[in-house]
Amino acid sequence: KLIRKYSTSVAKENPSLSNFKFPTDDFSNVSPKILSLVGKNLHNKEFHPLCLMKKRIMQYFYAAYRGRTGKPIFSIFDDLHPMVTVEQNFDSLLIPKDHVSRKKSDCFYFNKNYMLRAHMTAHQVELIKMGLDNFLMFGDVYRRDEIDSTHYPVFHQCDAVRLFHREQLFDLIQTEVFEKNPTIESKVKQKEHSVIACREIEQQLKVTLEGLARCIFGNDIECRWVDAYFPFTHPSWELEIKRNGDWLEVLGCGIIRHAILQQAGAADSIGWAFGLGLDRLAMIQYSIPDIRTFWMEDPGFLIQFHNKSPKDKVTYKQVSIFPSCKNDISFWINDNFEENDFHSLVREIGGDLIEQVQLIDKFTHPKTGRKSRCYTIVYRHLEKTLTQAEVNEVHKNIEQTAEKVLGVIIR
Ligand code: FA5
Ligand code: MG
């Protein structure tokens, strides 16, 4: 029912998707508001801070990696459409059928076969299949997530792949790249790879990414490597950067699973891949305190970046700071209650007025066993002062829709 409502208003709000009819099923959960953001392509908008950050990364790779003839070796893709198959986003990357990241409460599905990509890695296999060895992909990605100053349901990622052919790496390390008799996987390597080959790729990957971090943030930046897990790489790491005294994760990376390369027709290769959040890097680089800022249409925002080059130092000055308004909401929940459904609903109704949704209390009635939740919703308009009446109207709408759609009972 919801989807029928959605798909009709989608047509109105997003002309490029207006002729697009998709069969709905019980996976369908894309909303008009989300679809209205498809095609904004902030990363391709000249002088937008996300575009400047994209160019900064491209420049680094152009300068650091040149072929024999002096040409850059990395190909760039920045207009891959965000609608992908579930097979691209998950199966092609060996993500198990029951993996948590596939949950309806975490992704935007058109239906059980099509979705808005949740990471740029969704395109990795198709590009390797095309025969590319070195490439960068930039694009918008979509996740149902909590709401605060560093999370937004649409953000931007840069993914990269670098492959070495067996002979190419052999020349470098002077020893076998692949195990003759693959036995078992260890913490430090996949079963198919030799220890030395794996070390060499790890080394190259880490040097490349530390170099990128220094190129963007300067030589004084503090960063650290943390062991990580991704189904499509092994071993895997995350790079964290120190910001205002706290460690912030900016990227995930690792050595590409051999099984993926085999399926993609590159069985004689070994290589690395990474995926990083452009929004987070741009927030650090330009001192942008809130991820919603990127979506502001206010010229006072974009003017600050106009005619800047990717290497220029810009410190964002908040266009102005308008006061926030807080309202609590508390309700009884049933067993099907999913926190992210509530977050999405709040975002759907409140749009960019929503600064934060914070769980402040969980309660179970001692006699009846009924459970309740209480959240504080922080409202703030980035471009004007909200009146209490405006906030109350949105808040009321959230309460009523939560009762209708999530089956909760307002207390
Ligand atoms: C991934 O998306 C993997 N595809 C990355 C990868 C690619 C690993 C290739 C190995 C090989 P993750 O979900 O951690 O991983 O997201 C990667 C980066 O995107 C994070 O480090 C962070 O910088 C950014 N990011 C993740 N979630 C958000 C969010 N909600 N808002 C803003 N940035 C985010
Ligand atoms: Mg992560």
Side-chain angles (χ1 to χ4, degrees):
K1 208 167 54 206
L2 261 177
I3 290 304
R4 194 157 334 116
K5 187 189 89 201
Y6 282 160
S7 42
T8 51
S9 43
V10 166
K12 264 192 259 127
E13 289 184 32
N14 195 322
S16 64
L17 284 170
S18 60
N19 297 326
F20 171 60
K21 298 234 166 22
F22 52 91
T24 59
D25 56 28
D26 57 359
F27 263 73
S28 310
N29 65 359
V30 287
S31 61
K33 218 160 236 159
I34 282 298
L35 287 175
S36 75
L37 300 175
V38 173
K40 293 264 183 202
N41 292 325
L42 300 181
H43 60 287
N44 292 339
K45 215 167 152 176
E46 200 174 19
F47 304 126
H48 192 284
L50 293 172
C51 187
L52 291 175
M53 188 49 73
K54 173 185 85 173
K55 290 190 173 156
R56 193 94 178 91
I57 295 170
M58 284 167 53
Q59 283 176 355
Y60 170 75
F61 278 93
Y62 279 169
Y65 292 97
R66 285 176 181 277
R68 259 166 300 152
T69 58
K71 288 213 191 80
I73 63 172
F74 276 83
S75 315
I76 312 282
F77 296 83
D78 63 7
D79 61 356
L80 299 166
H81 198 277
M83 183 181 172
V84 298
T85 60
V86 170
E87 130 80 30
Q88 283 174 293
N89 198 85
F90 295 120
D91 303 73
S92 76
L93 295 167
L94 313 176
I95 299 173
K97 289 279 184 212
D98 57 355
H99 196 266
V100 285
S101 63
R102 294 189 185 236
K103 276 185 20 188
K104 243 182 84 176
S105 60
D106 289 34
C107 300
F108 290 103
Y109 285 96
F110 290 97
N111 53 42
K112 67 180 190 328
N113 297 320
Y114 291 90
M115 64 188 292
L116 287 167
R117 66 188 165 217
H119 57 176
M120 286 309 291
T121 321
H123 301 285
Q124 178 174 299
V125 168
E126 65 194 84
L127 294 182
I128 296 175
K129 276 189 180 156
M130 281 169 54
L132 292 161
D133 291 331
N134 304 290
F135 56 88
L136 291 162
M137 314 175 255
F138 297 90
D140 38 340
V141 302
Y142 298 76
R143 294 188 197 172
R144 303 177 73 196
D145 216 331
E146 64 211 73
I147 301 173
D148 64 27
S149 65
T150 59
H151 292 82
Y152 195 80
V154 190
F155 58 100
H156 300 78
Q157 285 186 329
C158 164
D159 254 56
V161 165
R162 174 152 170 74
L163 297 184
F164 296 80
H165 291 268
R166 197 182 53 79
E167 322 85 71
Q168 191 187 354
L169 190 60
F170 183 88
D171 284 348
L172 214 65
I173 60 177
Q174 293 295 314
T175 160
E176 266 315 319
V177 170
F178 294 107
E179 293 278 7
K180 288 229 167 49
N181 302 302
T183 49
I184 47 163
E185 176 158 310
S186 77
K187 205 171 162 283
V188 299
K189 69 169 201 76
Q190 295 173 40
K191 62 179 191 298
E192 295 87 351
H193 299 149
S194 75
V195 179
I196 292 173
C198 179
R199 286 246 176 82
E200 176 63 26
I201 303 291
E202 169 178 352
Q203 193 60 21
Q204 295 230 6
L205 170 61
K206 289 185 172 173
V207 167
T208 301
L209 289 171
E210 285 171 25
L212 177 64
R214 298 230 152 72
C215 166
I216 295 175
F217 300 115
N219 282 324
D220 302 334
I221 190 79
E222 259 188 276
C223 38
R224 70 175 183 195
W225 290 102
V226 179
D227 286 337
Y229 170 80
F230 299 101
F232 34 93
T233 50
H234 182 75
S236 309
W237 304 274
E238 281 170 352
L239 181 65
E240 297 186 339
I241 286 182
K242 201 162 205 179
R243 192 205 180 197
N244 305 330
D246 288 327
W247 292 103
L248 181 71
E249 173 207 321
V250 292
L251 65 86
C253 64
I255 299 181
I256 300 172
R257 280 265 170 213
H258 191 62
I260 293 180
L261 295 179
Q262 272 175 322
Q263 279 173 26
D268 74 328
S269 299
I270 173 170
W272 54 247
F274 74 78
L276 64 75
L278 280 184
D279 311 64
R280 286 203 186 154
L281 292 188
M283 285 172 80
I284 302 177
Q285 169 80 335
Y286 301 120
S287 306
I288 295 175
D290 192 306
I291 195 164
R292 290 176 302 167
T293 311
F294 295 122
W295 298 88
M296 276 171 68
E297 306 277 356
D298 188 319
F301 167 61
L302 283 176
I303 198 105
Q304 298 187 31
F305 298 93
H306 193 70
N307 276 339
K308 298 295 180 205
S309 93
K311 282 189 182 135
D312 288 342
K313 182 153 176 52
V314 181
T315 304
Y316 170 66
K317 287 181 219 57
Q318 254 164 303
V319 173
S320 54
I321 304 166
F322 296 97
S324 65
C325 252
K326 289 183 181 178
N327 258 13
D328 289 352
I329 177 169
S330 58
F331 45 75
W332 298 107
I333 59 170
N334 53 38
D335 291 339
N336 305 330
F337 179 76
E338 288 274 2
E339 177 125 52
N340 276 349
D341 290 340
F342 179 64
H343 279 273
S344 292
L345 181 145
V346 173
R347 179 81 79 185
E348 198 56 34
I349 294 168
D352 287 353
L353 297 185
I354 307 301
E355 179 169 283
Q356 200 177 357
V357 179
Q358 218 176 0
L359 179 64
I360 53 171
D361 192 37
K362 285 185 182 185
F363 170 76
T364 305
H365 193 282
K367 294 225 179 75
T368 63
R370 277 173 99 193
K371 294 189 183 107
S372 80
R373 293 272 194 283
C374 181
Y375 294 88
T376 296
I377 303 180
V378 182
Y379 297 86
R380 193 201 302 267
H381 200 295
L382 290 176
E383 292 156 51
K384 66 169 194 178
T385 301
L386 288 173
T387 65
Q388 191 62 50
E390 284 172 311
V391 170
N392 289 348
E393 195 184 320
V394 179
H395 198 76
K396 186 96 223 145
N397 192 353
I398 290 173
E399 288 183 338
Q400 288 168 349
T401 315
E403 288 204 318
K404 243 184 276 159
V405 178
L406 304 180
V408 305
I409 298 162
I410 300 293
R411 297 181 59 178

